[in-house]
Amino acid sequence: RIFPPQQPNHTAMDTTLGHSLRGVSVHHLATTLLAHMKAAGLPPTALVYEIEAKVIRGVSASVVCPRDERSGSAYVDAITGEDNAGMADFMLSYTWGYAVQDIVDALLYHCTANNLDPK
């Protein structure tokens, strides 16, 4: 694993944790996720399925899931901070065969074109 196992430090009463509509922010994808990919030796053009083992599970494998209380949470429940995750305003459909940078670029464009805060 690239990242040390740790439980997320969810600050006082994150009411979105474990919620079915919790989502990852565009800000997180454009900053932290891309940084984790770089640290794992993966380019921003890596496909989603190429980052799953090293990055996604690297972050979430040892985190206790808030839904079933077992080890191994969803990525969204392994990240913390209101700038990184919260209640989703939009749903994005994608496949594991898309390049991460293409997803990030499309989401950043959507935020800019619609005057939305990526956080």
Side-chain angles (χ1 to χ4, degrees), residues 22-108:
R22 181 176 167 92
V24 179
S25 73
V26 174
H27 167 77
H28 177 84
L29 296 174
T31 57
T32 306
L33 179 66
L34 290 177
H36 283 177
M37 289 172 58
K38 184 176 182 178
L42 297 164
T45 55
L47 306 180
V48 174
Y49 71 82
E50 295 172 326
I51 73 165
E52 193 270 335
K54 287 185 177 179
V55 179
I56 296 172
R57 273 192 285 136
V59 171
S60 64
S62 64
V63 175
V64 174
C65 175
R67 291 169 200 78
D68 63 16
E69 298 182 358
R70 293 174 26 197
S71 185
S73 74
Y75 182 79
V76 70
D77 292 322
I79 59 177
T80 62
E82 63 183 25
D83 288 348
N84 296 309
M87 295 302 288
D89 293 316
F90 298 93
M91 189 277 210
L92 171 69
S93 179
Y94 67 94
T95 73
W96 280 41
Y98 287 177
V100 175
Q101 187 68 66
D102 289 345
I103 295 169
V104 170
D105 288 345
L107 291 169
L108 287 170

